[in-house]
Amino acid sequence: MGPTKENVFVPNYHNEINARAMRHFLTNFAEAANEKWYFIGNLFVVTLTLKGMDYRVDYSKKGRWIETIRTYAETELSADLRRTVKNSYRDFDISLVQDIQQPSHPIVYIIHLESKTKLIKLQVCNGVMDEWQKFEKSK
C-alpha cells in the first residue's frame, strides 16, 4: 500500500531523488524494475515488489538508509521461526509476515496470526516473542 496524496511529492525523474539514496537502492535492489519513489515530509520512500515480496525502503532527506520493511507470506518465513510460532500458537494461521531491517539493529519480525476468534500480532526479535497486539474478532 503506497503513501496517501497528502504532502507527497512523486519524483518524475531519477535526478530528483537524492543520489546517495539512489546508489544504495541500486546496489541493494539491482533486480528491481517496478519501483515507485515518493518524497513524504523529510523521507524518500520507495516501494516495490521483488520475488513475491513487497518492499518499502525509507531514506532520510540526505539519502541515508533508515529501514527496509518486507511483507510476505508464511511460506517465505524461515523454517525455524515458523516452527517456533506454530508450536506456541497451534490454533492460529500465519496470515502475513513483515520484517523490519535497520542499520545496526537486529531484524524485527511482525507476524500476523489469525484464529476463528482472535487476531494477534507477534513481535519477534533475537529469539524473544511478544504479543504486540491482540484483538477479538467481531461476531
Side-chain angles (χ1 to χ4, degrees):
M1 181 161 141
T4 63
K5 290 186 178 183
E6 295 177 14
N7 301 321
V8 174
F9 167 70
V10 179
N12 292 315
Y13 305 100
H14 281 166
N15 65 356
E16 295 176 319
I17 300 166
N18 180 285
R20 183 178 187 175
M22 183 58 74
R23 273 192 306 274
H24 179 274
F25 179 78
L26 292 173
T27 299
N28 290 281
F29 298 96
E31 297 176 36
N34 61 343
E35 74 270 12
K36 292 183 180 146
W37 287 85
Y38 306 91
F39 189 67
I40 306 169
N42 287 328
L43 291 177
F44 284 100
V45 175
V46 61
T47 60
L48 66 137
T49 301
L50 188 62
K51 297 180 182 175
M53 294 185 192
D54 293 327
Y55 287 77
R56 174 185 164 151
V57 186
D58 295 348
Y59 297 95
S60 72
K61 187 175 184 177
K62 294 184 178 186
R64 286 196 166 84
W65 174 60
I66 296 172
E67 67 185 2
T68 300
I69 301 169
R70 296 187 314 165
T71 303
Y72 47 94
E74 171 187 357
T75 54
E76 300 299 322
L77 187 61
S78 74
D80 290 342
L81 185 50
R82 190 166 156 211
R83 188 171 30 258
T84 299
V85 170
K86 290 289 200 175
N87 284 341
S88 297
Y89 293 89
R90 293 183 192 279
D91 295 336
F92 287 81
D93 293 321
I94 297 174
S95 59
L96 186 72
V97 179
Q98 296 173 295
D99 66 45
I100 304 166
Q101 302 170 21
Q102 298 174 319
S104 305
H105 288 86
I107 295 175
V108 175
Y109 295 88
I110 306 297
I111 301 173
H112 301 245
L113 300 173
E114 185 172 351
S115 74
K116 291 180 181 177
T117 59
K118 294 180 182 167
L119 299 170
I120 296 175
K121 285 187 185 177
L122 290 180
Q123 181 174 311
V124 182
C125 184
N126 281 338
V128 177
M129 192 165 41
D130 291 313
E131 287 186 9
W132 180 41
Q133 295 178 329
K134 189 174 187 176
F135 304 98
E136 296 290 328
K137 283 186 171 179
S138 58
K139 297 178 182 181

